[in-house]
Amino acid sequence: MATQLGGEDEFKTTIAEYLESLPPQFCKRVFSSPAACLAIFRLLSTIGKQLIMSMLYLDSPLKLQDVLQWARPEHQRLVRSKIHQLRKLQLLTEEKGNVLLNTIFQEQLRNALTGGGDFSSFGVPDSGARDAHITATRLSRYAGERWETMLRFMVGRSANEATLPALSDTVQRILQSSGLMDRGPDGLRITNSGFQFLLQDSAAQVWTVLLQYLRLAEEKNMDVVEVLNLLFQLVSLQLGRAYTTAQLTANQQRMLSELREFGLVYQDDPSGQRFYPTHLVTTLASSGHARSSDNGGTGPGQSELTKSSEHGYIILETNCRIYAYTSSPLQIAILGLFVRLVSRFSNLVTGAITRDSVRQALTHGITADQIIIFLTVNAHPQMQNRTPVLPVTVTDQIRLWEQERNRLHPTGAYFYKDFEQRQGFERVFRYAQDIGVILWANTEKRQMVVTRQGHAKIAELVKGQRASSAQTPSTS
């Protein structure tokens, strides 16, 4: 038997991937909520929305060829791919060349658009006296502070900040289980994925956290459908309005209290009888956020780390000195991950990119390309007018420092050895050469290493040799 060298992990990176993985009976329960159907519809691409709306009020199936005729010939392949995506989401069924909307989704989306069905799925407004002090501005400030507290914790653990913001066990568990932080000798520290997380806009960051919360809910044996329904309900609520928790289940009320730790909801009532959604969750299903989450671009929900170049604050000189015009503790802490900070003023921080500071960042899993992207995105407007934006001498030096450390690159592979006869080894060796899967070989010792992709073909050949002769080469 061959030994596999290396491995891969899979993780659902979008809400669409998560919905695709749900069993049909779970999807039926999710689609029974008008709010969930409307939220899913808003998250679809423009072509996906057009396909859904074109079939929403049709009770008979359409021929697939007729649907493809809605687009020009050069765009029909794109339409076909969107139909395939809708099928994977179980919004659309295709049988014998005909396509038809999922009947439950179709009915509830109609109800969502016309005001029918169970309208409590969109939340029940609180009938009590409204607190005039809780405004959209206050909720926005509260959400920003809570979210920045989490980001500062991620950065501060690695930047060795003296005082770190306090986070609940649930938030720390999500950060660790999602791979954004890992536990080292000195406690939790940011990972490569965590630094990439910081470069995303806030909408993409929220989706990442919510997807990990769904995984955590499964581990806690919570009803995933209840969790999804509350999530889609929050997406559909109105910013600045109070909603009652009376109609929520025990699992949903528990989820609400945990989402409060991230700043997604605000509760001013100690008894937890009402809550206010914040902009972090109410804008998640907007088209701008959906596109930015998919494409990694910036949108209306962008964080202060990835704002457009007109808000850039970093000046980088050819001698690797950095001047950052900012007073944000979060931005300063992030710079501290790969910059040796020298002095700090009320609105200015100075420092230098050194070999030691870059190597420290590399030990945390941050790559040279991520550092360069961060500096480019946050470059001062005066630097944005240059081509290239950053001094080439600095970017080349950062990559050279990375190459000093990353001289070895792990590759998943299989190791074959102990062939009893040279003839059998040479036959397998020549076949592996022909298909180009050999990574290393020692013909004298009858040993070779093949790629993970080529292992299946090599194993099949060895199995055939065993069946045709008494020769039995062993692998390990």
Side-chain angles (χ1 to χ4, degrees), residues 18-168:
Y18 186 86
L19 292 174
E20 290 170 7
S21 67
L22 290 179
Q25 60 270 24
F26 278 50
C27 282
K28 289 181 181 179
R29 292 178 57 196
V30 174
F31 294 161
S32 64
S33 165
C37 292
L38 182 60
I40 294 172
F41 172 78
R42 293 171 63 191
L43 288 169
L44 295 176
S45 64
T46 302
I47 296 178
K49 292 177 182 176
Q50 290 177 343
L51 292 171
I52 293 294
M53 290 304 298
S54 298
M55 293 184 280
L56 185 60
Y57 290 96
L58 298 179
D59 296 325
S60 57
L62 285 172
K63 290 184 178 181
L64 177 60
Q65 292 301 322
D66 292 341
V67 176
L68 296 178
Q69 293 300 318
W70 295 347
R72 294 178 179 177
E74 62 269 22
H75 297 147
Q76 289 183 5
R77 179 177 296 181
L78 177 60
V79 174
R80 186 183 292 273
S81 68
K82 297 302 179 182
I83 292 175
H84 179 66
Q85 291 176 5
L86 295 177
R87 285 179 54 198
K88 291 198 297 182
L89 288 169
Q90 303 181 49
L91 304 179
L92 198 70
T93 58
E94 182 180 347
E95 186 177 356
K96 297 180 180 180
N98 295 324
V99 291
L100 182 68
L101 280 183
N102 181 302
T103 54
I104 301 177
F105 176 82
Q106 182 182 33
E107 178 185 359
Q108 296 305 327
L109 182 57
R110 287 179 182 177
N111 289 333
L113 297 177
T114 59
D118 180 16
F119 218 68
S120 63
S121 65
F122 289 94
V124 178
D126 183 58
S127 58
R130 184 179 182 278
D131 189 344
H133 295 91
I134 300 179
T135 62
T137 303
R138 179 178 175 181
L139 291 174
S140 178
R141 184 170 59 252
Y142 162 80
E145 290 173 353
R146 295 301 303 172
W147 195 255
E148 184 169 328
T149 296
M150 182 191 70
L151 299 181
R152 283 189 60 199
F153 178 85
M154 292 176 59
V155 178
R157 297 291 299 187
S158 300
N160 298 321
E161 282 193 12
T163 58
L164 289 174
L167 289 183
S168 67

Side-chain angles (χ1 to χ4, degrees), residues 1 26 65 69 103 114 136 158 174 181 203 234 268 297 312 317 344 385 388-389 466 469:
M1 184 179 296
F26 278 50
Q65 292 301 322
Q69 293 300 318
T103 54
T114 59
S158 300
I174 287 178
M181 302 188 76
L234 293 174
D268 63 332
E317 294 182 338
R344 180 173 177 176
N385 296 328
V389 176
R466 287 177 176 175
S469 66

Side-chain angles (χ1 to χ4, degrees), residues 15 88 188 426 474:
I15 188 65
K88 291 198 297 182
L188 291 176
E426 290 179 350
S474 64

Side-chain angles (χ1 to χ4, degrees), residues 327-383:
S327 58
S328 167
L330 175 60
Q331 292 176 337
I332 295 172
I334 292 178
L335 284 174
L337 290 176
F338 58 89
V339 175
R340 181 176 63 85
L341 299 178
V342 177
S343 57
R344 180 173 177 176
F345 304 95
S346 60
N347 65 338
L348 173 66
V349 176
T350 67
I353 298 177
T354 65
R355 182 174 181 268
D356 290 338
S357 66
V358 171
R359 287 177 66 87
Q360 179 183 0
L362 295 174
T363 60
H364 294 152
I366 301 172
T367 66
D369 285 338
Q370 288 177 327
I371 294 175
I372 293 170
I373 290 173
F374 176 83
L375 293 173
T376 303
V377 169
N378 295 282
H380 193 275
Q382 292 184 6
M383 294 193 64

